[in-house]
């Protein structure tokens, strides 16, 4: 809810329930955001569902609609399909009429199938589709990107947006990060190789889109209309009090969550 506005901003907005992307510092009882980046939360949407939308769905929107240009009938492989970004990607692929392969731990397969994934794959067993695909969304990184290049059909696009393979064990590990970095197929993604293979490699980092605020806000406004007509279904796995924020991180770390883990006051 807006509790104060800056100079020149319409003061009648005070008291309005809203959504906004924050650059950093989102773990806070009060945040300051540019007025243009703040959109009204639709009537009937809870604060928790609202919190599950911006990062997850805007990342999926950038990958699938702005850059990946998913179309009806496209074959899409979604890594980490049961995570926050994964479920958002499933919603956008289902809306486009794409065929989906989704990798997740086996206990999450029933959920992603119910959301529309036709071909669940076991992420713990490193399973891949039995045919080549048009689009791959991959935040695992490292060797997975090389494997993904082998899996693309002509015209296919690999979207790189994270490096989960650099995280292992209970603590941040420079060694795991180094291993993941060394496994990146640096030499396979040259312009000449992409020409010869009819492939594209795309990268997405929402944290570097702050100069495109108007575009991003317009995507968010569209996504909220999609929520109103039932095309997207944000899912909250757990709402954890601020005082137990460490437990919220443990849920993520143990790879237990299906969808978003939100912090609540
Ligand atoms: N570039 C961007 O702008 C951007 C924006 C948002 C998120 N991201 C990145 O996208 C990834 C997914 O984000 P999210 O919010 O959807 O995360 P999330 O909800 O926590 O889901 C992550 C899932 O990834 C799977 N996974 C596979 N290998 C993993 C590993 N080594 N460590 C941890 N998890 C692993 C796990 O699912 P299974 O056990 O089911 O396989 C895990 O539950 C993260 O790497 C995040 O940093 C990037």
């Amino acid at each position: 809810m807006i509790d104060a506005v800056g100079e020149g901003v319409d003061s009648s907005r005070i008291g309005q329930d809203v959504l906004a992307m924050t650059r950093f510092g989102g773990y806070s009882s009060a945040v300051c955001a540019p007025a243009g980046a703040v959109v009204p939360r639709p009537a009937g949407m809870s604060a928790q569902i609202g919190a599950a939308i911006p990062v997850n769905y805007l990342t999926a929107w950038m990958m699938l609609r702005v850059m990946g240009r998913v179309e009806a009938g496209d074959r899409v492989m979604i890594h980490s399909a049961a995570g926050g970004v994964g479920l958002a990607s499933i919603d956008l692929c289902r809306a486009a009429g794409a065929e989906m392969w989704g990798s997740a731990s086996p206990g999450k397969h029933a959920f992603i199938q119910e959301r529309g994934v036709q071909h669940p794959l076991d992420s713990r067993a490193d399973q891949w589709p039995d045919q080549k695909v048009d689009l791959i969304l991959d935040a695992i990184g490292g060797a997975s990107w090389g494997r993904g290049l082998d899996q693309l059909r002509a015209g296919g696009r690999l979207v790189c947006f994270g490096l989960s393979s650099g995280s292992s064990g209970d603590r941040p590990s420079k060694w795991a990060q180094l291993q993941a970095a060394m496994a990146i197929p640096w030499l396979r993604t040259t312009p000449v190789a992409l020409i010869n293979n009819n492939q594209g490699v795309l990268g997405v980092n929402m944290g570097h889109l702050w100069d495109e605020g108007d575009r991003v806000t317009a995507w968010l406004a569209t996504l909220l209309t999609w929520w109103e007509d039932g095309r997207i279904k944000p899912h909250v796995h757990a709402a954890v009090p601020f005082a137990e924020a460490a437990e919220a991180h443990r849920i993520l770390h143990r790879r237990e969550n299906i969808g978003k883990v939100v912090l609540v006051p």
Side-chain angles (χ1 to χ4, degrees), residues 55-56 59 80 83-86 104-105 108 123-124 139-140 161-162 164-165 167 204-206 252 255 257 259:
V55 176
N56 291 337
T59 305
S80 310
V85 178
S105 292
K108 306 173 187 174
S123 56
R124 305 283 180 156
I140 305 291
F161 71 109
S164 301
S165 56
S167 118
V204 166
N205 186 336
M206 297 305 292
L252 300 175
R255 298 166 63 163
N257 59 302

Side-chain angles (χ1 to χ4, degrees), residues 12 22 70-71 85 89 91-92 98 117 141 153 155 179 209 216 239 251:
S12 70
T22 61
V70 66
E71 290 182 354
V85 178
S89 301
D91 281 354
L92 300 192
V117 168
R153 71 198 291 199
Q179 282 182 307
L209 274 180
V216 176
I251 292 170

